[in-house]
Amino acid sequence: MTTFSGKVALVTGSTSGIGLGIARAFAARGAHVLLNGFGNVEAALADVRGAASEPDARVLHHPADMSRPSEVDAMMRYADDVFGGVDILVNNAGIQHVAPVEAFAPERWDAVLAINLTSAFHTMRLALPRMRDKGWGRIVNVASVHGLVASAYKAAYVAAKHGLVGLTKVVALETARTNITCNAICPGWVLTPLVQAQVEARAASSHLALETARDELLSEKQPSGQFVTPEQLAELVVFLSSDAAAQVRGVAWTMDGAWTAQ
Ligand code: NAD
C-alpha cells in the first residue's frame, strides 16, 4: 500500500463530501493532514483522526475562507509554521450556483470563481516554493466533468472548472523538470451535500419525489446510472500522489460513469 508517512497533506474544503473522503484516505496512509472548510469541524476532525494509521500523525483544521486571499495566505503561513510546509496540496473547496446566464447574480459569479478557481491559484503560488526547496510535491486540483464539457445554467461553475483544468496544465509545465506534479481530477455526479441541494431543487421545481429527482439527474448525464463515491475519488488522488504517478502530469482525469464518453 502507498504510504505518506511524514508527508503533509492539505485538503481544502475537507469538512464534507469529497474533500473529507480524500483527507481520510491520506490519514489512513500515515500523512499529517490539514483540514479546511466550514460546518461541523469537530466531526470532521474526529472522523479523519479516527482514520489515521500513525499515532504521531497530526490532523488539524484551519478555518480560512477560500474566497478571501488574505485568509488563504494565513492558512499557508500556518502550514509552513506548524508543519514545515505542504507536500500534497489538494484544491477541493468548491460551491455551485445554478441560474440562466442572464439571471446569474454577479456576486454569485464572483464567489464561484473565487472559491473554485482563484483560491487554487493562491494555494499553489504559495505552496510551490517550499515544494521546490524540498524537491518533491503533489498537487491535485478537484475540477469536474464541467472542466471538460458544459451544462446549461452553470456558467460560473463551468468557467471556473475549465479555468482550473487550464491552470493545472500551466503548473504541470512549469514543474515538468522537477519531482512536483500537478494534475486535475474530473468527477461526474457524486452524492454529496453540493449535489443533494441540486436534487432537492429539481424535486421542488418539478414536483417529484426526491428519489425520482435523483434518478432523473443521474440518467440525464451519467450513463452508468450510479454515483461516483468520495472513496473512489480518494483512491484516485492517492494514486496521483504516489511514486507510480510521477510521470502523470497535467492530466484532467475523469471518473464520471462515462459522462464525457458520449
Ligand atoms: P460539499 O459541499 O460536500 O463540500 C464542499 C466543501 O468546501 C465543504 O467542506 C465546505 O465547507 C467547503 N467550502 C465551501 N466554501 C468554502 C470557502 N469559501 N472556504 C473554505 N471552504 C469552503 O461538496 P463536494 O461535492 O464534496 O465538492 C467538493 C469539490 O468537488 C468541489 O470543488 C466540487 O466542485 C467538486 N465536484 C463535485 C461533484 C459532485 O457531484 N459532488 C462533481 C464534480 C466535482
Side-chain angles (χ1 to χ4, degrees), residues 216-238:
E216 274 192 19
L217 181 110
L218 261 183
S219 64
E220 220 171 66
K221 299 274 187 181
Q222 199 147 301
S224 69
Q226 295 184 59
F227 286 103
V228 181
T229 68
E231 291 72 25
Q232 290 164 342
L233 289 164
E235 290 303 315
L236 176 57
V237 177
V238 163

Side-chain angles (χ1 to χ4, degrees), residues 54-223:
E54 289 203 9
D56 295 341
R58 284 185 294 171
V59 179
L60 299 174
H61 172 265
H62 192 282
D65 179 338
M66 300 304 288
S67 70
R68 297 171 187 264
S70 62
E71 294 189 24
V72 177
D73 192 74
M75 179 178 70
M76 299 310 284
R77 273 188 281 113
Y78 175 84
D80 282 351
D81 294 347
V82 174
F83 289 110
V86 172
D87 303 300
I88 300 162
L89 169 63
V90 183
N91 287 306
N92 168 79
I95 58 167
Q96 178 62 280
H97 182 69
V98 181
V101 75
E102 64 271 31
F104 212 97
E107 55 280 11
R108 297 317 299 159
W109 170 277
D110 288 345
V112 172
L113 268 287
I115 296 165
N116 296 29
L117 175 59
T118 307
S119 73
F121 160 68
H122 289 300
T123 55
M124 290 194 283
R125 174 176 75 75
L126 295 165
L128 274 167
R130 275 284 172 100
M131 288 182 178
R132 287 188 192 278
D133 286 349
K134 293 185 184 180
W136 194 91
R138 292 287 185 269
I139 302 171
V140 180
N141 293 322
V142 181
S144 164
V145 285
H146 287 116
L148 303 170
V149 295
S151 294
Y153 313 127
K154 295 187 175 175
Y157 189 83
V158 170
K161 295 298 190 182
H162 274 68
L164 188 57
V165 168
L167 177 59
T168 299
K169 292 177 185 174
V170 172
V171 175
L173 289 175
E174 292 183 7
T175 53
R177 292 278 180 163
T178 72
N179 288 324
I180 302 164
T181 69
C182 180
N183 292 292
I185 64 169
C186 297
W189 289 124
V190 188
L191 193 57
T192 64
L194 182 139
V195 166
Q196 184 61 26
Q198 293 172 64
V199 170
E200 285 166 14
R202 176 183 283 251
S205 69
S206 308
H207 307 290
L208 297 170
L210 273 181
E211 210 166 294
T212 314
R214 200 161 53 210
D215 289 348
E216 274 192 19
L217 181 110
L218 261 183
S219 64
E220 220 171 66
K221 299 274 187 181
Q222 199 147 301

